[in-house]
Amino acid sequence: MSNTRLAVLTLLAMIAFAGNSLLNRLALNDANIDAASFTTLRLVSGAIMLWLVVQIVHGKHSNRIGKGNWLSATALVVYAAGFSFAYISLSAAMGALILFGAVQATMITHGLWLGERLRGLQVIGLLLALGGLVGLFLPGISKPPLVGSLLMLLAGIAWGVYSLRGKGEGDATRVTAGNFLRAVPIALVLNLLMFQHFSLDSAGFWYAVASGALASGLGYAIWYTALPALKSTTAATVQLSVPVIAAGGGILLLNEDLSLRLVVASVAILGGIALVILEKKAA
């Protein structure tokens, strides 16, 4: 794969991941759709898109699409549902930052649990990231809503678990397709439980479908195409751009404010995580 193609695919994937935040925020605030319905439509459309990708890429071997498992599918639903419900109250930038911080914290904690040891700069980076997260929730007018923040933290932990469970399971696109397919009936149960809050209009429907088919399904397929050609450190650090892209999109497309608290917390959290990742590579 040429460097130009790799860079374009990586950029498209990061834009797609940030786009999930923007589409979710748009749907829940500017359209008439409830969070449970958004979650279900996102997973259904994502499953369809990934199924099509597997059919096209793997052809006659696409019957192996069933790879995946129910525990990973459950983690996927917890992530998608927590993500959607959190965006009822969080801004696109705030949600993306909390999500990314929670995902990375889950991955780092898992490594420590397995016996990994942090070097000097990694410890500083971890403390810096934790300080940024604590600062985000200190009392003040720009403090993010507690319920939405907790839901996004849960979503981030669930996505971290999902990512850890996916390591070494083979073709990532096929495995993800299998997990999306398994996630659909679980999401439908959630929809039934939340039926009293059901609401849906055409704008909300298409935002959810775009989030599932394009930002999720196609986004993951593009990312998994680029990922084998990226060094692990590059793959980890390039994802630091997702909250930044989401923040820019929120300002330009959603007229969201960029508070000083969010800027300082972003620098601390993303900078701290970058130190942990880059120092690990150096080690």
Side-chain angles (χ1 to χ4, degrees), residues 79-165:
Y79 150 72
F83 189 89
S84 294
F85 280 92
Y87 270 127
I88 294 175
S89 57
L90 294 180
S91 68
M94 187 71 74
L97 180 62
I98 295 173
L99 176 76
F100 183 83
V103 171
Q104 294 301 317
T106 302
M107 307 286 274
I108 292 169
T109 301
H110 180 260
L112 293 174
W113 177 264
L114 293 180
E116 291 184 11
R117 293 293 178 264
L118 297 180
R119 292 155 58 93
L121 282 178
Q122 287 180 300
V123 173
I124 294 173
L126 184 59
L127 292 175
L128 183 63
L130 290 175
L133 195 59
V134 170
L136 201 60
F137 296 102
L138 289 176
I141 192 169
S142 58
K143 183 181 76 170
L146 179 61
V147 174
S149 299
L150 291 176
L151 286 170
M152 193 60 85
L153 284 171
L154 176 63
I157 293 170
W159 186 253
V161 170
Y162 179 84
S163 300
L164 290 168
R165 287 186 56 80

Side-chain angles (χ1 to χ4, degrees), residues 1 62 71 104 173 181 198 204 208 225 232 276:
M1 184 184 298
S62 59
L71 282 177
Q104 294 301 317
T173 303
L181 286 171
F198 176 81
T225 300
S232 58
V276 174

Side-chain angles (χ1 to χ4, degrees), residues 36-226:
S37 296
F38 187 98
T39 301
T40 301
L41 285 169
R42 179 186 176 188
L43 292 172
V44 170
S45 54
I48 293 171
M49 175 59 76
L50 285 164
W51 179 83
L52 289 172
V53 169
V54 172
Q55 295 291 322
I56 293 169
V57 173
H58 296 283
K60 63 181 181 179
H61 301 296
S62 59
N63 59 332
R64 292 158 148 194
I65 193 174
K67 281 190 132 186
N69 59 77
W70 288 102
L71 282 177
S72 291
T74 301
L76 179 60
V77 174
V78 172
Y79 150 72
F83 189 89
S84 294
F85 280 92
Y87 270 127
I88 294 175
S89 57
L90 294 180
S91 68
M94 187 71 74
L97 180 62
I98 295 173
L99 176 76
F100 183 83
V103 171
Q104 294 301 317
T106 302
M107 307 286 274
I108 292 169
T109 301
H110 180 260
L112 293 174
W113 177 264
L114 293 180
E116 291 184 11
R117 293 293 178 264
L118 297 180
R119 292 155 58 93
L121 282 178
Q122 287 180 300
V123 173
I124 294 173
L126 184 59
L127 292 175
L128 183 63
L130 290 175
L133 195 59
V134 170
L136 201 60
F137 296 102
L138 289 176
I141 192 169
S142 58
K143 183 181 76 170
L146 179 61
V147 174
S149 299
L150 291 176
L151 286 170
M152 193 60 85
L153 284 171
L154 176 63
I157 293 170
W159 186 253
V161 170
Y162 179 84
S163 300
L164 290 168
R165 287 186 56 80
K167 287 186 175 182
E169 286 195 2
D171 187 292
T173 303
R174 184 184 288 144
V175 170
T176 303
N179 286 328
F180 262 77
L181 286 171
R182 285 174 171 82
V184 169
I186 303 174
L188 288 172
V189 172
L190 171 66
N191 228 60
L192 288 174
L193 293 173
M194 301 294 295
F195 185 74
Q196 67 272 26
H197 301 292
F198 176 81
S199 61
L200 181 65
D201 63 3
S202 60
F205 174 85
W206 288 114
Y207 283 140
V209 169
S211 176
L214 301 179
S216 297
L218 196 57
Y220 295 145
I222 292 172
W223 176 238
Y224 294 142
T225 300

